[in-house]
C-alpha cells in the first residue's frame, strides 16, 4: 500500500517533467527513492563525502535495493544492463531516471557504449555504474569489468571525477547480517526480480551502510585496467570495513 501511494503521488509529476525537460535529470527522483526506502524498511547510513560536480560513481552491486539506496543519496543517471528494458514496468521507471542501457555481454559494442557514457559525462550528467555487471552474494564484491571504462582515462574529461562507493547490508532488525540472511538480502541469479523483492520485504527492517571514498581523477591513470583495479581495491576494502565495523547491535 505505501508503494502504491508513492507511485500515485510522485510518478505522474515525474513523467510530466520527463516530457517537458527530456535532457535534464528530474529532481523528483531523490525524494521518490527516499520514500521507496521508507516503504521497504530500508535505513540508509551514509559515510564519507560525496564528490562535487560531474561524477561517475562506481559501486559494488548486491541487491535491487541498491537502486533506491543510492538514488536517495545521489541525483544521477543509472547505467543498467539492457535486459531491464524487457520488462515494461521496469523500463518505465528506468526511463524516468534517464537510465543508460548497455549490452553487458557484447564486447563488440563496448567501445560504442563506453562512448555513450563518456558523452553523458561530458554533457554534465553524473552517472552511477555497477562495474561487477551483476549482483554478488554479500560475501565479497565480484571482479570488476573494465569494458565500459574504455577510453575514460584518455578521453580528456576535465572536471569529471570518479568516486568509488561501497554498499554493505549490515543489519536486519538491528541484528548483524549472518550467512542465513544472504539469500534474502542479495538478488541472486536464480531469483526473478519479483521473488527477490518479496524475500527482501519479509525482512521488514534493513540497514545499509554506504561509504563514499575519496574521488579519483581518471586522467591520473595509465589506462582503464589500472583505473578499474584501483576502484575495485578501494570498494572491497570499504566493504570489508563496513561489514566488520558496523555489523553490531544498534
Amino acid at each position: 500500500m505505501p508503494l502504491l501511494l508513492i507511485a500515485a503521488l510522485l510518478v505522474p509529476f515525474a513523467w510530466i517533467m520527463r516530457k517537458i525537460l527530456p535532457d535534464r535529470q528530474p529532481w523528483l527522483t531523490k525524494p521518490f527513492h527516499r520514500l521507496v526506502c521508507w516503504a521497504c524498511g530500508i535505513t540508509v547510513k551514509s559515510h564519507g563525502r560525496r564528490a562535487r560536480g560531474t561524477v561517475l560513481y562506481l559501486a559494488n552491486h548486491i541487491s535491487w535495493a541498491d537502486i533506491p539506496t543510492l538514488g536517495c543519496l545521489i541525483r544521477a543517471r543509472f547505467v543498467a544492463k539492457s535486459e531491464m528494458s524487457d520488462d515494461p514496468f521496469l523500463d518505465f521507471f528506468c526511463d524516468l531516471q534517464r537510465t543508460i542501457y548497455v549490452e553487458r555481454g557484447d564486447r563488440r559494442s563496448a567501445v560504442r557504449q563506453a562512448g555513450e557514457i563518456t558523452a553523458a559525462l561530458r554533457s554534465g550528467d553524473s552517472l552511477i555504474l555497477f562495474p561487477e555487471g551483476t549482483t554478488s552474494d554479500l560475501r565479497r564484491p565480484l571482479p570488476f569489468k573494465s569494458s565500459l571504462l574504455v577510453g575514460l582515462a584518455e578521453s580528456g574529461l576535465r572536471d569529471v571525477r570518479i568516486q568509488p562507493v561501497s554498499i554493505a547490508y549490515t543489519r536486519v532488525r538491528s541484528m548483524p547480517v549472518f550467512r542465513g540472511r544472504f539469500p534474502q538480502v542479495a538478488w541472486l541469479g536464480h531469483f526473478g526480480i519479483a521473488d527477490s523483492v518479496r524475500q527482501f520485504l519479509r525482512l521488514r527492517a534493513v540497514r545499509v551502510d554506504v561509504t563514499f571514498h575519496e574521488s579519483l581523477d581518471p586522467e591520473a591513470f595509465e589506462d582503464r585496467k589500472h583505473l578499474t583495479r584501483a576502484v575495485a581495491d578501494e570498494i572491497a576494502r570499504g566493504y570489508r570495513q563496513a561489514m566488520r565495523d558496523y555489523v553490531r547491535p544498534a
Side-chain angles (χ1 to χ4, degrees), residues 71-84:
C72 76
L73 297 173
I74 305 168
R75 187 166 176 256
R77 301 170 67 181
F78 283 92
V79 179
K81 55 186 179 181
S82 59
E83 289 90 333
M84 298 289 286

Side-chain angles (χ1 to χ4, degrees), residues 123-215:
S123 71
D125 290 335
S126 292
L127 303 178
I128 300 171
L129 171 64
F130 301 109
E132 291 166 290
T134 186
T135 51
S136 64
D137 61 0
L138 283 177
R139 297 179 185 178
R140 65 185 67 85
L142 298 174
F144 283 12
K145 295 177 172 59
S146 63
S147 58
L148 293 180
L149 302 182
V150 171
L152 193 63
E154 305 89 358
S155 59
L157 287 174
R158 294 183 179 180
D159 302 322
V160 172
R161 306 293 293 180
I162 290 182
Q163 186 160 38
V165 182
S166 299
I167 302 174
Y169 291 78
T170 55
R171 299 179 191 167
V172 172
R173 302 173 202 162
S174 296
M175 295 301 293
V177 173
F178 54 87
R179 190 175 297 273
R181 294 289 193 193
F182 288 4
Q184 293 174 286
V185 175
W187 183 4
L188 303 179
H190 58 277
F191 280 121
I193 179 64
D195 292 331
S196 181
V197 170
R198 280 194 291 268
Q199 291 275 5
F200 191 98
L201 293 181
R202 288 179 186 139
L203 299 174
R204 297 198 300 275
V206 178
R207 167 170 165 160
V208 189
D209 285 275
V210 179
T211 304
F212 292 90
H213 301 284
E214 192 70 28
S215 63

Side-chain angles (χ1 to χ4, degrees), residues 20-34:
I20 296 175
L21 301 170
D23 297 326
R24 278 197 179 181
Q25 186 64 15
W27 63 268
L28 277 172
T29 54
K30 283 184 69 174
F32 175 80
H33 286 301
R34 194 173 294 121

Side-chain angles (χ1 to χ4, degrees), residues 69 120 122 130 172 176 225 237 247-248:
T69 293
R122 187 172 284 116
F130 301 109
V172 172
K225 291 187 177 181
R237 183 193 62 78
V247 180
R248 302 169 183 165

